[in-house]
Amino acid sequence: MRRRRNISSRFFVGVIVVIVICVLGALYSGVSGNPSPVTRLVGVVTAPVQRLATGVSRFFGKGLSYFTEFDALKAENEQLKKQIRGMEQEVRDARLALEENDRLRRDAGMPERTRDLTTLPAEVIARNPGDWATTLTLDKGSSHGVEKGDLVITEDGVAGYISAVAPNYCEVTSVIDIEMQCGALITRTRESAIAEGNYDLMAEGNLRLSYLKEDASVVIGDTVETSGAGGVFPKGVMIGTVESVLPEENGISYYAVIKPFVDVDTVSSVSIVTAFTDTME
């Protein structure tokens, strides 16, 4: 019984001491404007604990983020695998279609399909994104076999054509320039048209697909490629995708807006087609 009283007395005294210390600390802070020694002592003591708690929180936060990102990456990976399988099947179907077409050409006594491009790599050394023209300057010229009218391409598609040649450099009229014009085909339907630069569309980085027939079945997302008409450019080089289909001013026929595959504002490396053999028809 006496021991319990001693414990109670000590607890009571301890509480009184803590209260007094807190009051004195508050008075010190109020008078001096600085943290009291008790506050600093508590901070020193609790700082390692706070660091530990923060570290543990970050550790578990990173762990949770890792598992969340892992699940997202796993789902994205599965989706990409499905897309790859689909594209592989499309490649196989295209290869079978080409083989069948070649067989039919042989049976009909026609030459086999060939497209042989002779290309020269070049680097963009200057660009002129003007209001009336969008041109590029390349580091290759007539001394390298470059000629006026040569097509300029990248792995993605048409970048433009050579419009001026000097011995050690050349100028390229870009695919969106108002001077650009070439025969085009809608890949899906094989309908023919003309891909040409347009002043209003040039600022948007686009070009126009003109002279579409009234019953043309072009839709948004269709790809457009060179037709090879006239033998100036090789056939089958990609130009871009259809972004919109709009009526002409006469309200009878239509034209399409093409987003080119090659961004002339950022392209840095190209290939100049100095010669080609094309029997794609």
Side-chain angles (χ1 to χ4, degrees):
M1 190 72 176
R2 187 175 300 171
R3 185 176 181 182
R4 290 183 180 178
R5 288 178 181 176
N6 291 335
I7 294 174
S8 299
S9 299
R10 291 175 183 174
F11 177 77
F12 180 75
V13 172
V15 171
I16 296 297
V17 171
V18 170
I19 292 174
V20 171
I21 292 174
C22 291
V23 171
L24 292 175
L27 291 173
Y28 177 86
S29 299
V31 173
S32 65
N34 298 316
S36 68
V38 176
T39 302
R40 287 196 292 267
L41 178 61
V42 171
V44 171
V45 173
T46 59
V49 178
Q50 290 175 332
R51 283 197 293 269
L52 177 61
T54 301
V56 171
S57 176
R58 288 178 178 175
F59 174 79
F60 284 106
K62 288 182 179 179
L64 181 61
S65 175
Y66 170 80
F67 286 111
T68 303
E69 293 178 359
F70 178 79
D71 291 339
L73 289 173
K74 185 177 180 181
E76 183 180 1
N77 186 47
E78 290 299 324
Q79 184 64 29
L80 290 174
K81 285 182 178 179
K82 290 180 181 179
Q83 293 179 4
I84 290 173
R85 287 194 293 269
M87 288 187 289
E88 288 175 344
Q89 184 60 48
E90 290 178 359
V91 170
R92 287 192 292 269
D93 293 341
R95 186 179 294 114
L96 290 174
L98 289 173
E99 292 174 354
E100 182 180 4
N101 185 270
D102 288 338
R103 179 180 59 79
L104 293 173
R105 292 175 70 92
R106 288 194 300 270
D107 293 344
M110 301 173 64
E112 293 185 7
R113 297 164 51 98
T114 59
R115 189 181 71 178
D116 183 22
L117 304 182
T118 301
T119 60
L120 175 70
E123 297 293 324
V124 177
I125 57 176
R127 62 185 80 240
N128 176 31
D131 293 333
W132 295 96
T134 302
T135 60
L136 306 173
T137 303
L138 307 182
D139 64 348
K140 297 295 190 297
S142 57
S143 62
H144 302 91
V146 178
E147 297 181 357
K148 189 175 179 179
D150 286 346
L151 187 66
V152 180
I153 63 175
T154 71
E155 293 180 351
D156 297 320
V158 175
Y161 68 92
I162 305 298
S163 52
V165 184
N168 61 346
Y169 74 91
C170 62
E171 298 289 337
V172 178
T173 294
S174 74
V175 67
I176 62 172
D177 191 278
I178 58 174
E179 295 297 325
M180 176 66 184
Q181 189 177 77
C182 71
L185 285 176
I186 301 169
T187 305
R188 180 177 58 86
T189 64
R190 313 311 291 171
E191 295 172 279
S192 61
I194 299 293
E196 57 184 357
N198 178 271
Y199 177 74
D200 294 327
L201 297 176
M202 185 172 65
E204 303 172 5
N206 296 332
L207 66 157
R208 175 185 173 115
L209 186 65
S210 302
Y211 304 106
L212 291 172
K213 297 180 181 179
E214 294 182 17
D215 58 347
S217 57
V218 58
V219 297
I220 295 174
D222 274 342
T223 58
V224 181
E225 60 189 68
T226 57
S227 66
V232 179
F233 299 146
K235 180 181 177 181
V237 182
M238 303 307 297
I239 299 174
T241 56
V242 174
E243 283 206 330
S244 60
V245 181
L246 303 168
E248 295 279 10
E249 293 182 358
N250 56 27
I252 300 175
S253 56
Y254 293 83
Y255 72 94
V257 176
I258 307 173
K259 184 69 174 179
F261 287 121
V262 178
D263 184 354
V264 297
D265 291 332
T266 60
V267 65
S268 58
S269 300
V270 298
S271 295
I272 304 170
V273 181
T274 57
F276 64 92
T277 301
D278 202 342
T279 58
M280 297 292 288
E281 288 293 351

